[in-house]
Amino acid sequence: MIRAAIGVSRRLVLLAGLALGLAAPAAAEDAKPIRLGFQTGEINVLLSYALGSGLFKKEGLDVSTKPFPAGPAMLPALAGEEIDLAWMGEFPSVTGYANGLPIAILFMERIDATNVRLVVNPKAGIEKLEDLKGKRLGVAIGSTSHYHTLRALAKAGLKSEDVTLVNLTPANMPPAYVAGQIDAAFVWEPNVGAMEREGAKPIANTRSLGMITGGVWVGRRPFMDGEPETMRRFLKAWDQAQQDYKANPAAVRAYEAKRVGMTAEQFDKLVEGQSVAHPTFRETLTADFLGAPGQELDSRLMKHLQGIGGFLLEQKRIQAEPKDWAGLFDTKPIQAYLASASQ
């Protein structure tokens, strides 16, 4: 009887092992694929955490990421269906939508008050905005950097013709500053901080110019409409990342600090310099951000984007402003997620 019991026990263990072996591929097959685009020259705290900590995997997502130097470079990838969602600034999102891409803003991932800063070389004799006249100013033409620059010049009573605008990618601004090729630059972290560590002094930022800016998640409409379960899982993971960040900022920041090669102390200082806030999904559906369902056109973000549309048209970056501005937002996935989370 003892031998029989041992035999039965062995068979049960063998069957259990086979069951586990069969279950693993099934779970892997259930993982939903999603391709994310992100900017290497930007700060991606929540994305790095969600990837590094396994939050996406936990929610059953098979995530692949594709790096880009800046937001505009993501537009061809969205058009070619190479990525599904992309983290970018407001400018490329308006540009792509106005040029006919089937994309929409899903939510505003963060809003920055002082992340985008105008820094100047004290040796160039620049102490205030009016001193920019005749100076060489590094900007990324057609971007948030350019928009901020023109607002700063206007505030000082200057025009773009009063300065020499040097078109540079964000990553090329610090080397140009160190080499003495530019006297000032308007850009965001981590590159603006790199110039400040070389002695550059900030004299203006988003807040001081009365502007708003930040990062948005943009998606291909066919993907967002056709993969509701994938979108639910993505939003659930992101919601958890936000909650974890509030509970333990240091642990969440550690992943992005490692990516950009900074110590915890250095990265904390960088984040403090951004004056950044991450709106919750419920805040997303308010007038301060994308607006309540049906009231998107009255939202603060929409009015900001319409201003960008006028700027892009003036700069000939787009041929016409969108006829249907409301179509630039799609908060249906967030509405569905919040409804399911409350059940």
Side-chain angles (χ1 to χ4, degrees):
M1 293 180 63
I2 292 176
R3 288 181 178 176
I6 292 174
V8 171
S9 178
R10 285 175 175 170
R11 285 195 296 273
L12 289 174
V13 170
L14 178 60
L15 289 172
L18 288 171
L20 288 173
L22 291 173
E29 289 174 5
D30 186 52
K32 299 286 189 180
I34 186 169
R35 301 164 300 175
L36 308 179
F38 74 99
Q39 295 184 52
T40 55
E42 255 286 6
I43 298 301
N44 306 271
V45 173
L46 294 181
L47 178 59
S48 285
Y49 172 70
L51 289 167
S53 67
L55 276 183
F56 287 139
K57 186 175 181 180
K58 179 182 177 183
E59 294 304 328
L61 291 174
D62 178 15
V63 176
S64 59
T65 59
K66 186 171 183 177
F68 295 87
M74 298 183 185
L75 298 179
L78 286 166
E81 300 183 4
E82 298 171 15
I83 53 177
D84 305 309
L85 301 182
W87 190 99
M88 62 177 65
E90 318 97 284
F91 274 75
S93 65
V94 174
T95 301
Y97 181 70
N99 286 332
L101 285 186
I103 60 174
I105 293 175
L106 177 62
F107 63 93
M108 193 166 193
E109 189 270 330
R110 73 171 204 234
I111 184 168
D112 309 317
T114 58
N115 181 47
V116 184
R117 303 192 289 277
L118 170 61
V119 293
V120 302
N121 187 343
K123 296 179 181 179
I126 307 172
E127 296 182 356
K128 55 187 184 300
L129 294 177
E130 289 78 5
D131 296 333
L132 290 170
K133 187 172 183 178
K135 300 299 190 295
R136 300 163 299 172
L137 180 56
V139 299
I141 298 297
S143 74
T144 298
S145 167
H146 191 189
Y147 193 39
H148 274 64
T149 297
L150 296 187
R151 287 288 290 269
L153 292 175
K155 187 174 182 179
L158 300 174
K159 298 180 180 179
S160 57
E161 295 81 10
D162 293 323
V163 300
T164 299
L165 297 180
V166 182
N167 187 17
L168 296 169
T169 64
N172 284 329
M173 291 186 193
Y177 177 85
V178 172
Q181 297 169 348
I182 55 175
D183 304 306
F186 218 145
V187 72
W188 48 85
E189 290 285 8
N191 295 293
V192 68
M195 285 182 282
E196 289 173 343
R197 290 190 290 276
E198 294 292 338
K201 301 297 182 183
I203 64 170
N205 56 48
T206 303
R207 178 189 290 153
S208 71
L209 295 175
M211 303 171 69
I212 64 171
T213 191
V216 295
W217 273 105
V218 171
R220 295 189 297 109
R221 277 195 171 275
F223 179 82
M224 292 196 292
D225 294 341
E227 297 291 340
E229 175 58 19
T230 306
M231 293 303 302
R232 186 193 69 80
R233 295 183 189 188
F234 173 81
L235 292 172
K236 185 177 180 182
W238 200 268
D239 191 17
Q240 186 61 55
Q242 286 191 323
Q243 294 179 45
D244 292 350
Y245 194 20
K246 290 181 180 179
N248 193 343
V252 173
R253 289 177 183 174
Y255 292 87
E256 181 67 351
K258 182 179 180 181
R259 185 186 76 85
V260 298
M262 289 186 171
T263 66
E265 293 74 16
Q266 290 172 332
F267 194 71
D268 284 345
K269 185 176 181 180
L270 181 154
V271 173
E272 289 170 6
Q274 291 181 302
S275 302
V276 62
H278 298 276
T280 66
F281 289 149
R282 295 196 181 279
E283 289 172 335
T284 291
L285 302 179
T286 66
D288 280 339
F289 296 99
L290 274 69
Q295 300 177 32
E296 292 85 358
L297 289 174
D298 296 323
S299 70
R300 183 187 183 195
L301 180 59
M302 180 59 77
K303 295 183 184 305
H304 170 58
L305 297 179
Q306 289 174 337
I308 290 175
F311 166 78
L312 291 171
L313 182 62
E314 181 181 299
Q315 296 295 316
K316 297 181 173 56
R317 310 293 291 192
I318 59 176
Q319 295 182 343
E321 293 188 49
K323 294 181 179 179
D324 177 24
W325 277 101
L328 180 54
F329 291 172
D330 186 0
T331 61
K332 292 191 297 294
I334 287 180
Q335 295 175 50
Y337 167 71
L338 290 175
S340 66
S342 63
Q343 293 177 355

